[in-house]
Amino acid sequence: MSDPILRLEDISKSFGGVRVLEKVSFDVERGSRHALIGPNGAGKTTLFNVISGIHDPEQGKVLLEGKDLKGIPSRKRIKKGLSRSFQNIRLMPHLSVLENVMLGQHSRFQFLDMVKPLNFSAKSTGKAEAIETLNSFGIDLYEGQTVSSLPYGIRKKIEVVRALMSEPQLLLLDEPAAGLNTAETNTLRDLLKEVSNRGITLLLVDHDMPFVNSLCEQVSVMNFGQLIYDGPISDLKKDEKVLEAYLGMDEKTERSNA
Amino acid sequence: MSGYLSGVLAILGINIIFAYSIYITAATGQLNLGGAGFQAIGAYACALLSNELGLPIYLTLVFSAILGGAISFLIAFPVLRTKGVYMVLATFAIAEIVAGIILNTDYLGGPTGMIVNAYIETEVVLVVAVIIVILGFYIMSTRIGLAMRAVHDDEAVADLMGVDKRAIQVGAFTIGGAIAGLSGGLYALYFGFIEAQYFNANISIFVLLYVLIGGTQTAWGPLVGASFFTLIPEALRIGDDWRFFIFGVIIVIMMIFRPEGIVTRDALERVWRQLFSGKRNV
Ligand SMILES: Nc1ncnc2c1ncn2[C@@H]1O[C@H](COP(=O)(O)OP(=O)(O)OP(=O)(O)O)[C@@H](O)[C@H]1O
Ligand SMILES: [Mg+2]
């Protein structure tokens, strides 16, 4: 257990003087299914943005496979085995489903393969592989359509598939189950378990606790930018601070509703 | 070929080539409103190389493209720092600077213009136009084309997917400048006379409209847009005065009914499905 794929050391980040992340540290073990939870505004997405290089932390380090990611631009992190999805679906609106998925493969190709016409060299450009992937995830029906007209659940799924196309070591998923119905959530869980069985480490943010419980074994909890729990998910309910954070939240919502 | 038809076809060819130059940049989400400037660079380069050095025609055209591309490449770095309406203004300003330099340089004929000694037939224009159309379709059919469209849709996500946004945008702007230079070279050789006043803001605006109204989502857009706006006024025998009016009306109608341009991916997909009652591999 001393070989984490991702190590966060004292990550701090503020926006306009407001501390959003306050010395956050935890490890994500290789091959694990790790959840990151916390009330709205806790800083979960911000932490993902720091890990993927969209934001630089003011303090602290992100270590991927033991290597400090400082100075490595966001564009190059996907080549280091890091891939992610987004809380608000960020598929390319004018690309077809297939093209969105092919975009996920971009980092795996050399320039010479990028100047081949996709239709005439489907094998060496990865197009054939992308079509196969669509088939295996049961979204081939939508292949040529642009994404904006598709049902929400399908779009969520395409985002996960796109993130997988780079063949990542570590997959960051920001609320993949949000907005899905029960059947879709169950399909997503099966899909992610299969991904995990392939050896890909999962770090996922979600508010759907039954979903998180049935998928993840480790959990880190954040509240107001601070880590308040980090350990096995089975002990989560016994933790005082966690209970307080979530209860406090409920009280606040009740008060604001009153 | 009648002189009239031959003239229309030559203008059509030049407009199509010019449209692809702006399209390549627009496909990455950058609007270039300085088309006339790059066209002028190509036209004057071609005229000088032909008049002063007596270079063969194909070489003068190659140099028109190279010079247009080289200058685009150099100014791509400051220009591409700007975005949206600021980029439009920056490119517009560049075209004005080019026109200003030509007008004030006696060697280039200043406001009286310049006669070009060499000349080409319509066929040459058309052959080059076909090559450029094929080039446009080819680029958009590759992963590079896919990356360009991704940068157009969402720069930040494209970046996280590993797309080098800067390289894509600078590359597209450079190729666009080269193609615009080439169209200028063809213009100079076909008409045999060039003057700075011709390469004015109207030309830049029209070519950008060809592209936006044709549609930037597929390589069909500039072909359809340039053909439509070159041939319709001819077919209707509309004089220059009315051309602007018709342009305005069409643009307003387009903005209401097809804000993404005449040719969109979804429209192509639908047509394809109806023709072959199957799904299309795009
Ligand atoms: N780019 C930004 N500029 C300014 N403030 C930001 C920015 N991004 C996030 N914040 C602020 O940081 C805080 C944490 O936001 P973040 O999105 O990380 O929370 P979260 O835990 O993902 O919440 P949710 O569960 O609602 O998605 C919020 O108060 C938010 O308003
Ligand atoms: Mg969030």
Side-chain angles (χ1 to χ4, degrees), chain B residues 32-80:
Chain B
N32 183 349
L33 191 57
F38 299 101
Q39 201 177 36
I41 290 169
Y44 277 87
C46 185
L48 281 182
L49 290 171
S50 167
N51 291 357
E52 305 286 318
L53 301 180
L55 287 190
I57 280 166
Y58 73 92
L59 264 189
T60 62
L61 288 174
V62 167
F63 277 112
S64 301
I66 290 177
L67 194 66
I71 291 178
S72 299
F73 178 77
L74 291 178
I75 61 177
F77 293 92
V79 165
L80 292 175

Side-chain angles (χ1 to χ4, degrees), chain A residues 74 90 94 105 115 146, chain B residues 138 143 149 153-154 159 266:
Chain A
S74 48
R90 297 275 291 269
H94 299 113
Q105 303 166 308
V115 294
T146 48
Chain B
Y138 161 70
R143 262 189 185 282
R149 290 163 52 210
D153 276 8
D154 191 331
D159 171 84
D266 284 334

Side-chain angles (χ1 to χ4, degrees), chain A residues 74-75 78 86 90 92-96 98-99 102 105 114-115 117-119 125 127 143-144 146 162, chain B residues 138 141-144 146 149-150 153-154 156-164 217 260 265-266 269 281-282:
Chain A
S74 48
R75 170 168 63 86
I78 193 164
F86 302 86
R90 297 275 291 269
M92 305 300 183
H94 299 113
L95 301 193
S96 70
L98 178 61
E99 287 166 339
M102 285 197 302
Q105 303 166 308
M114 291 201 198
V115 294
L118 292 159
N119 283 334
T125 56
K127 181 172 177 175
E143 195 176 293
T146 48
R162 179 177 71 179
Chain B
Y138 161 70
S141 78
T142 65
R143 262 189 185 282
I144 297 288
L146 184 63
R149 290 163 52 210
D153 276 8
D154 191 331
V157 172
D159 171 84
L160 286 173
M161 297 289 154
V163 174
D164 190 340
Q217 293 176 16
E260 300 265 16
R265 297 195 77 70
D266 284 334
E269 173 81 15
N281 247 350
V282 280

Side-chain angles (χ1 to χ4, degrees), chain A residues 15 20 39-46 55 87 175 207:
Chain A
F15 291 112
V20 173
N40 292 111
K44 306 178 296 292
T45 298
T46 306
H55 300 317
Q87 184 169 348
E175 305 202 12
H207 289 289

